[in-house]
Amino acid sequence: MPKFTTIENEQIRKDLLVKGRNIFIKYGLAKTSIDEIIRDCGIAKGTFYKFFNSKEELYFEILINEVEVREAVLNELFREDLSPKELLSAFFHFSFNSVENNPFLQQVFDNDEHERLIRKLPVQMSEFNKMNAKRGFHAVNTLMSKGTLPIDDPRVVVGIMQAVMTLRLHKNEIGDEIFPFVKDMIIEFVVEGLLKEKI
């Protein structure tokens, strides 16, 4: 196997992540083969295995990158000078749209990709799910400490946020034409409800 320079290694890894993402979006995890990935990247199979032990590991790293980008944008949102209602509404809309407008994340959560990753990479996915839960609690605690949300049980608020995110799974049943209005109205109701002080 040829030895690559540091710059060549970085370029190969970048190609695997970018081109692998495109192939996964097109075919899904189950139907994508390592042969398709290496053909697009112009590398040998041995070179692929120098970077990743399986296509699932590549897929998982792409998933981590997608989530990191989403988190960076969310953190910027928390720094903006918005009213509690504006901030919470922006948080819900961004969280929703970050999956809705990202074909890779859509695939992860709409298909069986998540379950496949849990079967193939149980340790990594367990850590990933814990990290996501921790980030959810951190976001909610940040909103409570800023006074955006009244003090409440963070588990309940995170659960409500997860419930709103599952709304997109019912888009076809609701109907494409009215779905945006339904989504916006539900987010508005949830935001109003979360901001209401308990009596």
Side-chain angles (χ1 to χ4, degrees):
M1 190 187 316
K3 293 210 173 196
F4 297 106
T5 65
T6 303
I7 292 170
E8 288 171 329
N9 277 327
E10 287 171 5
Q11 186 58 52
I12 292 168
R13 175 175 279 280
K14 183 179 173 186
D15 280 352
L16 285 167
L17 293 170
V18 172
K19 293 177 180 178
R21 180 183 187 273
N22 293 335
I23 294 169
F24 286 131
I25 289 170
K26 189 172 181 181
Y27 300 113
L29 177 56
K31 292 182 182 173
T32 295
S33 70
I34 290 174
D35 288 335
E36 285 168 309
I37 297 167
I38 64 172
R39 187 170 50 247
D40 260 32
C41 292
I43 59 173
K45 195 173 272 191
T47 303
F48 176 90
Y49 287 114
K50 181 180 174 193
F51 293 89
F52 300 99
N53 291 321
S54 66
K55 65 179 182 177
E56 286 81 12
E57 281 194 8
L58 171 61
Y59 192 95
F60 180 73
E61 185 157 329
I62 295 166
L63 174 59
I64 293 291
N65 290 344
E66 298 288 325
V67 170
E68 293 297 333
V69 169
R70 181 176 169 270
E71 288 301 312
V73 177
L74 268 179
N75 288 336
E76 285 305 310
L77 179 64
F78 286 159
R79 291 190 186 98
E80 291 185 25
D81 187 25
L82 301 170
S83 71
K85 185 175 181 178
E86 290 169 329
L87 178 56
L88 201 52
S89 182
F91 175 81
F92 271 109
H93 281 286
F94 172 77
S95 296
F96 193 93
N97 292 334
S98 67
V99 174
E100 185 70 15
N101 299 327
N102 183 321
F104 184 83
L105 289 178
Q106 255 184 42
Q107 194 181 71
V108 174
F109 297 109
D110 288 357
N111 299 335
D112 296 328
E113 315 292 36
H114 193 260
E115 285 72 24
R116 182 181 177 89
L117 286 174
I118 289 171
R119 284 194 312 273
K120 296 282 186 174
L121 305 172
V123 175
Q124 294 96 318
M125 284 305 290
S126 173
E127 288 304 311
F128 174 76
N129 289 333
K130 284 180 195 168
M131 176 190 73
N132 264 353
K134 188 175 178 182
R135 283 178 169 168
F137 288 120
H138 175 71
V140 168
N141 285 326
T142 299
L143 292 169
M144 287 179 186
S145 67
K146 286 179 72 155
T148 303
L149 281 173
I151 303 301
D152 200 349
D153 185 343
R155 294 172 301 175
V156 173
V157 180
V158 169
I160 291 168
M161 291 175 173
Q162 289 170 332
V164 171
M165 293 301 292
T166 63
L167 177 65
R168 54 181 304 284
L169 300 175
H170 304 283
K171 190 174 186 177
N172 290 339
E173 298 160 51
I174 294 168
D176 287 347
E177 193 177 303
I178 63 163
F179 182 78
F181 304 104
V182 172
K183 176 198 74 174
D184 290 348
M185 194 167 280
I186 286 175
I187 288 175
E188 187 179 333
F189 290 157
V190 168
V191 168
E192 294 283 354
L194 285 171
L195 292 176
K196 192 187 294 182
E197 291 285 354
K198 290 193 169 39
I199 299 169

